[in-house]
Amino acid sequence: MSEHRCGVIAIAGRPNVGKSTLLNRILGSKVAIVTPKPQTTRDRILGVRTDPGVQYLFHDTPGLHRPHKALNRRMVAEAEAALADADVVLMVSDAATPAEAARIEGPVLAAVAGAGRPVVLAVNKIDLVRKGMAAMLPLIDHWSRAHPFAAIVPVCALSGDGVDRVLPELRRLLPEGPALYPEDELSDRPMRFIAAEVVREKLMMATAQEIPYSTAVTIDEFAEPEPPRAVRISATIHVERESQKRIVVGRGGAVLRAVGTEARQELEAMLERKVMLKLFVKVSDAWTTTDEGLRRVGISDES
Ligand SMILES: Nc1nc2c(ncn2[C@@H]2O[C@H](COP(=O)(O)OP(=O)(O)OP(=O)(O)O)[C@@H](O)[C@H]2O)c(=O)[nH]1
Ligand SMILES: [Mg+2]
């Protein structure tokens, strides 16, 4: 019998290519939030999948992009640290044309190749390629010349198509070793973190322009009394300016109420019990632009 394998796989790629969607699909459960907006993921999240003979530790990372603000520098540093710590890299790209891929993927490929680890490439969103797999061949040819990938796998993270072909490619690259997490564990993040992320997802979906990038969510209370009593969660939404606070609250509180309802419903489904969710909005001056501001909204170097 072959040895048990266990190792860390960093999921890396441009913002919005579907890294978190792919992670959730591989785990069969939502641990990472997903929105149509780039730069959704801000922190590394570890997702754990345990199969007979193997435990995969997936590090979902923020998209690699050119950072301008302190927040973005932190996000890119997180992604680069994950690459440095990984045994294997799962690079995600989307199904563009070869010319587009060559133009936009250069910096990501350089970062990924620089990690010096074996790389599996998942070419995601193949459902958007109207002409079907034949149209993918020039793209796959482009990628196979761009880097000596251990494997190139076209996938659709949204429907799950092709995703089961990714795991065996990763498995053979993982080092031998015992499982590090209990087999029923899905993530290294506590429910408290996931609750804040769910609120942030609903907020990103409900707002536009700069608002999704100017908001952070901290949890003030997370109490789990004995069932059937409800889980009590209070959270603060941090914005940078008074004008943003007005938008997040909405006319007569409508936006905040809608965000609260959607987040509560999702958390109730996740926790399989009633949730009482209270949301507050606070102006945390220019929190995205300084390290001190990041600490104020709970984004610290230790996280
Ligand atoms: N059509 C299509 N859309 C997809 C697919 N996978 C993901 N998406 C969509 O792409 C958008 C971004 O997905 P995410 O999973 O948040 O992408 P990400 O790479 O984690 O993005 P960041 O965290 O911002 O770096 C969402 O609207 C997803 O629903 C796919 O296979 N096909
Ligand atoms: Mg993400």
Side-chain angles (χ1 to χ4, degrees):
M1 218 188 103
S2 64
E3 286 297 310
H4 190 279
R5 291 174 186 261
C6 178
V8 176
I9 301 141
I11 307 181
R14 284 170 24 247
N16 218 36
V17 290
K19 299 178 294 299
S20 299
T21 309
L22 183 59
L23 173 64
N24 293 338
R25 174 62 63 182
I26 287 172
L27 300 185
S29 185
K30 179 165 166 177
V31 301
I33 61 169
V34 168
T35 82
K37 295 174 179 137
Q39 300 171 23
T40 298
T41 303
R42 283 184 187 158
D43 274 310
R44 300 202 253 174
I45 299 176
L46 192 73
V48 183
R49 175 172 167 135
T50 309
D51 287 343
V54 58
Q55 185 167 68
Y56 305 88
L57 309 175
F58 288 97
H59 249 157
D60 188 18
T61 66
L64 289 159
H65 61 284
R66 197 176 298 155
H68 294 296
K69 296 195 286 193
L71 172 63
N72 301 74
R73 276 197 295 279
R74 243 316 285 284
M75 287 163 61
V76 172
E78 285 277 0
E80 288 172 349
L83 284 175
D85 290 348
D87 296 300
V88 179
V89 177
L90 175 57
M91 175 171 161
V92 184
S93 73
D94 48 14
T97 63
E100 279 167 347
R103 186 168 50 80
I104 57 185
E105 296 281 7
V108 170
L109 192 55
V112 163
R117 302 279 185 273
V119 188
V120 171
L121 175 69
V123 181
N124 190 29
K125 307 198 185 185
I126 52 171
D127 54 307
L128 299 180
V129 180
R130 242 182 281 129
K131 292 194 206 108
M133 278 309 284
M136 292 287 298
L137 295 178
L139 181 64
I140 290 173
D141 184 56
H142 159 79
W143 279 119
S144 59
R145 279 179 235 228
H147 182 81
F149 290 106
I152 301 177
V153 190
V155 299
C156 173
L158 214 50
S159 69
D161 266 8
V163 171
D164 54 358
R165 284 201 294 278
V166 176
L167 288 172
E169 298 294 352
L170 296 172
R171 181 192 177 119
R172 66 190 173 84
L173 300 169
L174 289 179
E176 290 177 357
L180 298 178
Y181 286 81
E183 62 180 286
D184 56 355
E185 198 125 319
L186 275 174
S187 166
D188 67 334
R189 294 294 194 154
M191 198 54 214
R192 193 185 167 97
F193 171 83
I194 293 174
E197 288 288 274
V198 168
V199 173
R200 197 162 63 78
E201 179 187 85
K202 304 310 173 200
L203 190 63
M204 282 189 78
M205 299 293 275
T207 56
Q209 287 159 5
E210 92 282 10
I211 307 279
Y213 306 105
S214 306
T215 47
V217 177
T218 52
I219 300 290
D220 310 311
E221 184 194 15
F222 190 99
E224 287 182 281
E226 285 297 309
R229 288 165 66 202
V231 176
R232 282 195 320 278
I233 306 173
S234 9
T236 298
I237 296 169
H238 301 263
V239 294
E240 293 196 281
R241 291 193 298 277
E242 206 52 54
S243 59
Q244 294 169 342
K245 179 172 174 174
R246 278 196 297 279
I247 295 169
V248 166
V249 172
R251 190 168 294 170
V255 174
L256 195 60
R257 227 177 3 259
V259 167
T261 303
E262 287 194 19
R264 176 180 54 75
Q265 285 169 348
E266 184 158 327
L267 290 167
E268 285 181 337
M270 280 179 169
L271 292 163
E272 297 178 328
R273 55 192 285 200
K274 284 266 170 231
V275 170
M276 264 174 46
L277 175 65
K278 278 196 214 148
L279 297 179
F280 303 91
V281 186
K282 182 177 163 191
V283 179
S284 283
D285 234 7
W287 71 263
T288 61
T289 50
T290 63
D291 288 335
E292 190 274 321
L294 295 183
R295 274 192 293 276
R296 242 185 295 140
V297 301
I299 302 177
S300 69
D301 286 335
E302 297 76 44
S303 75

